[in-house]
Amino acid sequence: MLSQAEKHNASRTDLAFQRCINPACGATFDTHSIRTSCDRCGDLLDIAYEWDRLAVPKRLSDFEAMWSQRTNPIRFSGVWRFHELLPFAPQDKIVTVGEGQTLLQQADAVGDYVGVNAGNLHLQYEGMNPSGSFKDNGMCAAFTHARMMEAKRAACASTGNTSASLALYCSATRLMKAVIFIGSGRISYGKLSQALDYGALTVQIAGDFDDAMLRVQQVAKRLGIYLVNSVNPFRLEGQKTVMYRVLEALRWEVPDWIVVPGGNLGNSSAFGKAFMELKAHGLIDRVPRLAVINAAGADTAYELFERRGVRWNGGHIEMDPIRDYNDRMDREGLKADTIASAIEINRPVNLKKCLRALEVMDGVVRQVDDQEILDAKAKVGAGGFGCEPASAASVAGAKLLRREGVIAPSDRVVCILTGHELKDPNATVAYHTTDQDLFNQVLGSRGVRKASFANRAIAVPNELDDIIKAIELYS
Ligand code: F0G
């Protein structure tokens, strides 16, 4: 039996390893190697731990003590203050830029819109991270591993937020050079501006995100560049902490529902692993349900899980429906298409892990169209903290599930708002505009017909009396 001190001193890296998620394979690899798939069977990898040789706090509330150590950057971080629950790196290798200082807000007006009782709807604002999205939770973890591996360059394909986050970590720490792959045309200016401003080598390929994702994996392998997309299992370890902070903000009470937008399905996968582990440690006694919300124009998870009945099934996933659907997308040249550009993804790399999360968390998948997304986004924005379109899919999804009776009015619901409002101001301005041409160009072309919750600017002549009259009339 190791003493508490011995446990703490044992090298963390010895007690963590990479493990294939396929239970029929279960191959393991040490953490001092860079992998995005299993050498033996090609499946995704998890980070696993020898928990019985590690010091895990006895109660979740023990983490509150970390607040008192805020002058230590590792404890200031909203990710690394939970280091004991992702103990793959020694302290001296940890990278942090102060990520994870995010908020959970009770939002009654949004709750009213969704249809749950007052006090029951909470919004988790991950857009408050340094680069403006939840990605920083995972990036600091992947970056820490890259540092352990002494990587000099790091790459990702991105719809914009991963690349902004990678570019920020590279420029703020000066530990690595960022190489980012983006598709042509789709990335919002807020996100592109970050990558350019922070000095990332930006490769815009003639294709969409799914094409860029395929290419970056080939290039990373060929050139030995460290890949930080969510196929990187270390990244998802960092993203588990979003759930720890949600529980912390709810005074360690488990909500009934976690609702999250689904793109590459990294978040949902990480959340499932977080709850699997918390349950196994005896730190919680029940697991919330999970709702993964696709945009209707990028609905692979919905199609496979809800329409074709594909399940994790203890790791024995029936692959034929997945292959059939991929073949169909190839044959018909189906491309993802939604105003929620962050989740405009048809080939989610974490599909299998997400299926596992859906099993562990008794989950559901839904799709919402661009109209529903933008209306929900306006409702969130009217509450004073905004979000980008993809994030609002969670609120639109919660509303749909409430309408279906899957979510009850008395359920406690947490919607994850993944990205900051200022990431994509075009969508917001086009929704609220009085300029019909702008509306049609940005939104009408995507099937959005009306802006029911628009807050329109009033046009007045440059005359004091007219201005005063207008203000008296409208305020
Ligand atoms: N919300 C936002 C704001 C995102 O940027 C993303 C993904 C998602 C949701 C989907 O999350 O992949 O974990 O299901 N953005 C990636 C990127 C793909 O490149 O920035 P997921």
Side-chain angles (χ1 to χ4, degrees), residues 133-135 157-163 191 209 229-230 239 261-268 342-343 345 388 390-391 418-419:
S133 84
F134 75 91
K135 300 287 178 180
S158 186
T159 55
N161 280 327
T162 307
S163 49
K191 302 173 189 180
F209 172 81
N229 278 105
S230 52
Q239 287 173 217
N264 237 349
L265 306 178
N267 261 338
S268 45
I343 52 173
I345 297 170
E388 65 167 286
S391 310
T418 44

